[in-house]
Amino acid sequence: MNNSFTNKNLENLNTASFDWSEIQNQMKNKIGAEVYESWLKKINFEEEFNNYILLTVPTRFIRDWITSRYLDQILQIIKSYKKEIIRIEFKIVNLEISKGEKDEEITKKFDNKKNVSFIKDSYLQYNRIDPNKRFDNFLTSSSNKLAYEASTKVSENISHYNPLYIYGGVGLGKTHLLNAIGLELKKNNKVMLISAERFMYQFVKSIKSNDMVKFKEYFRNSDILLIDDIQFMNGKEAMQEEFFHTFNALLDKGSQIIISADRAPNKLSRIQERIKSRFSGGLVVDIQKPDYELRKNIVEQKTEELNKLYSDQISISKEIQDYISKEVNTSIRELVGAINRVVSFSRIYNKVPNLAETKVILKDLLNISENKVTIDLIQTLVCRFFKISKNEMLSSRRSRYLVRPRQTAIYLTKILTSKSLPEIGREFSNRDHTTIIHSVKTIEKLKEKDPEMVNNINKLKNQILYNNRDNEI
Ligand code: ADP
Ligand code: MG
């Protein structure tokens, strides 16, 4: 610091015009007081040049930290004062000589980097563990029991199953379980929870900024590595290489690895064979679609939770709860979303929606697979179900054995696609839209008093929605 002092004054006479304390205030306001106190305060202004400024920081570590996280924001603030500044340079000053006392503080902080909360709060912002996704609010049934049990075992006894690989469709609770494991193990271990996407992003960023060493260090330092949605890690040889090494290094030192994916290890595409085979080397468990029991329990739990949260809550009738449990059967995420919507509705309108209103509120959730559900598919499956031909269904004949299937197909099209009434009419041999309305109403009425009708509709709905899903994987 000292030896540059004279140069500074000679080279740049404008230094005084640059009000660093003003910039500091701005950093505090815009980037946050906490970050400022921990990091940004340590930056000192050194010198201003034509189009860049030179700042000082006490250690290399702090410099890397700041540049990887806050550089853009800092530059923006500086530019708002001097737009000709296009770059920031850092110089590391030797603390031991200039500021002995503070150095201790910094060393302490530096050591702390091994501590999870430190990583979490600062540099690796993506290491977020959601405190609301715990074991105690994870409900089980036969569809997810195995995954749940494996997860609790791993949390009690590291390296029992290593790696633990959990897979299942969207919204079935994989991230919830990973979080729950993370929360448990975080108490005594260094935990790293990251999505594969984030891992890739960070990897590429580290290469660009020449920070690979730090990147590796962070991952290899963890006792527990949880990687969510591994299916998103694909391609990129170099990255898979790094991942594989990290993976092996961690297993070698006895760290626990937990992976989630939307499919079984051998079904992963664009991931090296040897990685897949290592994934299969521990315990592989899957989560199935929630059965009715589980859906019902989740609806109850969630409704109760929301009731506690909002004191002004109007309780949602059993009928509506039941409807949601029955109809929203694709994923738990959709289920939770459905309840949230009904609750929002009742809070906004100060009344619990009736069944018809509920249907409207949840329309698009019930149509979840809509883009894959075509009228043609519905017609084909309904015809097959009632053993009639498509020509018969689309004909104008009004024999009873044709009318019901036709109405059923129309009804299913109405609830499973977002086609308008005239559009549906066109697809059913140019029938008038009033005919379409009539068909929908007829089936709705029948459903109310005829359990067999309900049953048939549900079966067909499952076929239509799930057939697609199965073909997709
Ligand atoms: P995934 O990662 O498999 O796509 P999530 O773990 O994000 O699914 O789950 C979606 C939502 O459903 C989350 O709000 C989660 O808390 C909730 N959820 C999933 N499974 C359960 C369960 N068994 N009990 C309670 N809530 C669950
Ligand atoms: Mg997830």
Side-chain angles (χ1 to χ4, degrees), residues 174-175 228-229 260 333:
K174 302 180 299 289
T175 302
D228 204 4
D229 288 324
S260 86
R333 177 172 301 137

Side-chain angles (χ1 to χ4, degrees), residues 133 137-139 144 169-176 298 301 332-333 336:
K133 292 183 174 155
N137 62 3
F138 188 87
L139 300 172
N144 59 11
V170 179
L172 298 186
K174 302 180 299 289
T175 302
H176 191 128
I298 286 177
Q301 184 205 44
I332 296 177
R333 177 172 301 137
V336 173

Side-chain angles (χ1 to χ4, degrees), residues 99-339:
K99 296 174 187 169
E101 204 188 299
K102 272 202 173 165
D103 190 26
E104 252 177 49
E105 221 176 80
I106 287 149
T107 315
K108 214 165 83 196
K109 272 249 153 85
F110 190 83
D111 285 343
N112 265 347
K113 87 181 163 75
K114 294 198 174 107
N115 175 304
V116 174
S117 64
F118 187 71
I119 294 174
K120 186 179 139 199
D121 295 342
S122 318
Y123 178 54
L124 293 178
Q125 281 240 337
Y126 45 75
N127 189 24
R128 289 213 188 96
I129 300 186
D130 184 344
N132 295 316
K133 292 183 174 155
R134 305 177 306 268
F135 281 128
D136 67 27
N137 62 3
F138 188 87
L139 300 172
T140 58
S141 80
S142 56
S143 60
N144 59 11
K145 204 166 172 61
L146 268 182
Y148 170 81
E149 278 171 1
S151 303
T152 50
K153 282 242 169 65
V154 155
S155 309
E156 285 156 14
N157 188 359
I158 293 182
S159 303
H160 200 72
Y161 308 120
N162 211 3
L164 169 62
Y165 185 103
I166 302 173
Y167 74 94
V170 179
L172 298 186
K174 302 180 299 289
T175 302
H176 191 128
L177 279 179
L178 257 56
N179 261 281
I181 297 172
L183 281 174
E184 272 312 300
L185 289 173
K186 195 172 111 163
K187 295 171 188 162
N188 298 311
N189 301 276
K190 282 172 275 175
V191 173
M192 169 66 75
L193 168 63
I194 186 171
S195 71
E197 263 177 314
R198 205 66 223 194
F199 182 91
M200 291 197 304
Y201 169 78
Q202 211 59 36
F203 177 86
V204 173
K205 209 169 129 197
S206 318
I207 291 181
K208 282 193 186 142
S209 58
N210 248 332
D211 270 344
M212 264 325 271
V213 176
K214 203 165 66 192
F215 178 83
K216 287 183 187 174
E217 200 179 289
Y218 273 106
F219 284 94
R220 296 197 182 172
N221 262 338
S222 52
D223 302 325
I224 315 291
L225 178 61
L226 300 124
I227 301 203
D228 204 4
D229 288 324
I230 197 81
Q231 74 274 7
F232 289 128
M233 163 130 53
N234 50 41
K236 302 272 188 321
E237 278 297 309
M239 201 197 52
Q240 293 205 19
E241 208 53 44
E242 174 53 29
F243 176 72
F244 191 62
H245 286 135
T246 306
F247 189 82
N248 286 333
L250 287 175
L251 283 183
D252 283 348
K253 78 175 178 95
S255 298
Q256 173 73 48
I257 298 177
I258 299 112
I259 293 158
S260 86
D262 68 350
R263 62 198 85 174
N266 59 355
K267 295 255 175 70
L268 291 168
S269 53
R270 287 171 303 206
I271 290 191
Q272 292 172 8
E273 283 305 321
R274 55 182 185 155
I275 297 183
K276 289 191 215 172
S277 107
R278 283 230 79 165
F279 286 167
S280 318
L283 180 69
V284 178
V285 285
D286 73 334
I287 306 184
Q288 306 271 340
K289 291 208 172 74
D291 49 35
Y292 175 70
E293 255 341 273
L294 179 59
R295 299 201 303 267
K296 194 164 153 278
N297 289 340
I298 286 177
V299 167
E300 266 167 25
Q301 184 205 44
K302 194 74 202 170
T303 318
E304 213 172 281
E305 232 172 67
L306 289 168
N307 271 335
K308 278 190 203 135
L309 195 64
Y310 307 114
S311 49
D312 58 340
Q313 177 60 45
I314 308 152
S315 64
I316 309 239
S317 70
K318 279 274 172 257
E319 185 197 20
I320 305 278
Q321 290 191 24
D322 212 49
Y323 175 77
I324 295 175
S325 318
K326 281 208 181 96
E327 298 295 311
V328 186
N329 53 13
T330 41
S331 87
I332 296 177
R333 177 172 301 137
E334 302 299 340
L335 202 57
V336 173
I339 304 154

Side-chain angles (χ1 to χ4, degrees), residues 19-137:
D19 189 348
W20 185 241
S21 64
E22 189 53 40
I23 303 276
Q24 285 181 310
N25 275 336
Q26 288 287 327
M27 291 198 293
K28 201 187 293 181
N29 287 340
K30 295 206 164 125
I31 309 177
E34 219 170 286
V35 172
Y36 179 80
E37 285 302 319
S38 316
W39 302 103
L40 308 180
K41 203 165 82 176
K42 299 187 171 63
I43 309 174
N44 275 314
F45 176 74
E46 174 87 5
E47 199 165 348
E48 183 192 343
F49 295 91
N50 272 344
N51 60 359
Y52 73 98
I53 62 167
L54 183 64
L55 304 175
T56 63
V57 281
T59 69
R60 187 179 299 274
F61 178 71
I62 292 176
R63 179 201 64 188
D64 291 349
W65 198 287
I66 291 169
T67 50
S68 62
R69 280 302 284 125
Y70 309 111
L71 196 61
D72 288 349
Q73 284 161 284
I74 298 172
L75 184 60
Q76 221 168 17
I77 293 170
I78 291 172
K79 274 167 97 80
S80 69
Y81 287 86
K82 283 227 150 127
K83 60 178 185 309
E84 51 274 25
I85 303 290
I86 54 167
R87 147 170 89 90
I88 297 173
E89 300 237 321
F90 284 99
K91 190 166 99 181
I92 295 151
V93 291
N94 192 337
L95 269 183
E96 276 167 45
I97 300 166
S98 55
K99 296 174 187 169
E101 204 188 299
K102 272 202 173 165
D103 190 26
E104 252 177 49
E105 221 176 80
I106 287 149
T107 315
K108 214 165 83 196
K109 272 249 153 85
F110 190 83
D111 285 343
N112 265 347
K113 87 181 163 75
K114 294 198 174 107
N115 175 304
V116 174
S117 64
F118 187 71
I119 294 174
K120 186 179 139 199
D121 295 342
S122 318
Y123 178 54
L124 293 178
Q125 281 240 337
Y126 45 75
N127 189 24
R128 289 213 188 96
I129 300 186
D130 184 344
N132 295 316
K133 292 183 174 155
R134 305 177 306 268
F135 281 128
D136 67 27
N137 62 3

